[in-house]
Each structure stands twice: as C-alpha cells, then as structure tokens.
Amino acid sequence: MPNADNWQGDVLRDLRGTPPPQRAQSHGAAHGHRPAQEQQPQPQPRTGARAPGPNTPASSPAPAAPPARMQRPARSPDSRPVVDSALSGTARRPRQGEPAAARVSRAIRRIVSSSAAREVAEITRTAERIQQPVTTGRQIAVTSIRGGAGKTTVAALLGTAYAHYRQDPVLLVEADPALGSLPLRLGAETLRWTAADLADIVEPQMSLLDVTGYLVQLPDNAWLLPGSQGRIGAMLDTAAYERVMVALRRYFGVTVVDCETLPAEVARVALSAAQARVLAAPATLDGITSTYAVLQWMQGLPSHMIAGTVVALTSTTSRPGIDVEDAAEKLRSTGATVHVLPHDRHLAAGGALRTELLARPTRLAATRLAAEVFQLSQKRR
C-alpha cells in the first residue's frame, strides 16, 4: 500500500516502472492475496500416463501436460438491483441541463447569427475524428485525485459518445468496486457478473457473443462490466484487472475504464497500461491546485505520459469560485491538454445520464473531449 505520507512518490515510482522498496511483507500478502505469479494455474500431470517401460529410452521426454483451464465459478451470482427498491421512489424527475429561458435565448442567437451551419460543420469534423478505425482496441483510463471530481460522470460521457459515433462495440469498465456509481450513471437496472468474476471466466477461444453474455448491455452497441454489486468491501486486485483487460481488449474498439482515485493500486496500473488518460478535476481552487501539482510530477515521467493526458475540468456550480479559463491555461502550461465541461443541471442531479437532457454546450464539450482523447490514444500502441 502506498505510504500515506508520500503517496505522490509512490504514484511517480509506479508509473515509471521502478520497483518499490523491499518491505517485510507485501501488500498482497497482508491482505491474503498471493502474488500474481503464484495465482497462475499450474500444469497438472496427465492421468493415466504409463510409466517408462524397459524399452523406453531413458532420455525420452515425458509428454507435455496440457495447460490447465480456468475453472468457472461453482455458482452463478444472483442479480442485484442497482438502486434498492426502498430508494427508487426518492428520485425526482430528471431536469433539463439548462433552463428553458437559456435554451430559447440560445436558439434565437443561433438563428440571428447564422451559426447553425458552422456548428453542424464542427460536429461533423469531431464525429469523423471519433470514427477513425483502430487496429487494436484502445483503452482510455479516467481517474482523479479525490472524490467528487466528476470522474464517473466523465467516464459515462466518454463511453456514451464513443458508442453513439462508432460502429464497433464499446466497453465501459468499472474498476472502482468500492460502491462505484458508473452503473447508475449509465442507467443499468440490475448487476450480476463483475470484473473480478469475469477474470476467472474469460478464455481466448470465446466469441464476442460468449463474452457479452456476462456483460450489461447498454444502448448503441455499448456494454458495461461492473466493478461490484454495490456491496461494501468489494475488491478488485491488479492481477484480476490485468487478466480481464488483456482478455477483453480484442473484442472492443474502445474501452473506457472508470478507475479508483489516485493513488489506488489498480488506478496506477490502469494509467500506465492505457493509451490515453483523463484526469477529472473540479473547477475549484483546491481542485486546480492539486491537479497542477500532479501534472508537474508527471512532467518527470516519460514524455508520452503527460502528452497522452487530458484534464477534464468540471464546473460543479453555475458560478465557480475561480476564473475557469485562466485556470485551464495554467494547467495547459504543464504540457497536458485541458477541456472544460460547463455546469449542467442534469449532470449535477447525479442520476442516470440522458443525453437528450444535456445542455447543448455540455454535449458539444463532451464530444470534443471524446475526440481529443481518442486522437491521443491513436498515437500509442
């Protein structure tokens, strides 16, 4: 586990690939987990094999034992609702992202200024960037350095945009099993199989149809792999995460991973393995300060790390306490790309994401962000 007094150094060392200092007991052993190499299934001796006879040359090698297959779970997990029935009635009707007066004023300005054609042209160019073909699946990790930064909302917006514009299957992975909210944001009703479950099930010979049978289907050819079933204490270790991500990569053109907040172990692994990274940050003074410090540390990493990082600056209120554009320019000075997501009443409500209720500026900003991140992911193998 990272040192609480120097977690920044742990993040920096892990992303660089430097081995951690030796400790009396590893993090995995302290929690009852064996190291990854010990978890790999070992070849079992073949049953019924004959012992070497008198006519068998002593130097003849024994037949190679077939590799052991992963064992499927003895019992399928039960489906659980994303929102408990006792709480489902507490949600209010979803709101539009911006007030009616603002929508009317915006429509009038578009007509008077004749900006509609320019806006359509921009959307078309952005869509073309998102629709570029891929030779291998692109993995995009979304994380933050604190809770409440809009990390899950950004992951849901990205996954929804890719699913809308792309023809190949899109996967959203919740690698934040500690009561993560990605299934709720994506409108999933029930959960069954989790990332930890699938890590012990997926096999190379499976077809896409086999794999999607364990996933939650979403609109527009998108799929969700939850991190938990909403249970407190659910865990996802790095070995299971790596196993499931390597296995699923060939089935999906784009995979968006909603990670834990830094410096969690799985989040660090996801950042180092992804072709592009999104760092969600709230448009507040403390959020900007912390994010700027992290980006400065990333400047000491290999250049592709910060070059492949996009900061999603989320406005949590309609009147932020900082100059958002000035703050964005300060963050850009580190070499990272910065996109601003404006305040949106629909997103602020925290329920299921419905794109038709998003404010138009939010939809445009989210699409630009998706295109930028995808372009950066194309630059890395």
Side-chain angles (χ1 to χ4, degrees), residues 272-307:
S272 60
Q275 283 83 27
R277 291 150 293 279
V278 179
L279 185 62
T284 60
L285 182 58
D286 57 338
I288 293 297
T289 302
S290 301
T291 303
Y292 184 66
V294 170
L295 293 176
Q296 285 183 311
W297 292 324
M298 290 182 69
Q299 287 179 317
L301 302 175
S303 59
H304 72 268
M305 290 297 297
I306 197 163

Side-chain angles (χ1 to χ4, degrees), residues 329-362:
E329 285 301 318
K330 183 65 174 178
L331 296 179
R332 291 188 184 104
S333 68
T334 64
T337 304
V338 181
H339 281 258
V340 177
L341 292 176
H343 174 70
D344 189 288
R345 298 191 310 174
H346 176 60
L347 293 179
L353 173 63
R354 293 175 52 180
T355 54
E356 71 274 13
L357 296 181
L358 292 175
R360 190 168 189 83
T362 305

Side-chain angles (χ1 to χ4, degrees), residues 10 98 116 136 170 183 192 209 219 223 260 307 323 346 361 372:
D10 284 308
E98 57 183 349
T136 58
V170 173
R192 188 176 182 185
L209 186 61
W223 305 87
E260 300 170 294
D323 188 318
H346 176 60
E372 183 76 36

Side-chain angles (χ1 to χ4, degrees), residues 12 38 46 74 139 154 163 170 211 235 270 275:
L12 190 66
E38 294 182 7
R46 297 177 60 185
Q139 292 182 5
V154 170
V170 173
V211 170
M235 299 293 292
Q275 283 83 27

Side-chain angles (χ1 to χ4, degrees), residues 144-210:
S144 63
I145 58 175
R146 62 181 60 197
K151 168 181 65 68
T152 299
T153 298
V154 170
L157 287 170
L158 290 175
T160 301
Y162 295 135
H164 177 73
Y165 286 106
R166 295 189 62 81
Q167 298 298 316
D168 47 10
V170 173
L171 177 65
L172 291 100
V173 176
E174 184 184 45
D176 187 2
L179 297 180
S181 58
L182 185 61
L184 175 62
R185 269 307 204 191
L186 295 172
E189 296 181 357
T190 59
L191 304 177
R192 188 176 182 185
W193 303 95
T194 67
D197 296 326
L198 197 57
D200 295 326
I201 295 173
V202 67
E203 296 176 350
Q205 68 270 24
M206 281 184 170
S207 66
L208 176 62
L209 186 61
D210 294 329

Side-chain angles (χ1 to χ4, degrees), residues 11 18 42 58-59 96 129 165 171 182 234 306 316 348 354 380:
V11 173
T18 306
Q42 298 298 322
S59 59
Q96 286 280 350
R129 296 171 66 191
Y165 286 106
L171 177 65
L182 185 61
I306 197 163
T316 55
R354 293 175 52 180
R380 294 286 300 170

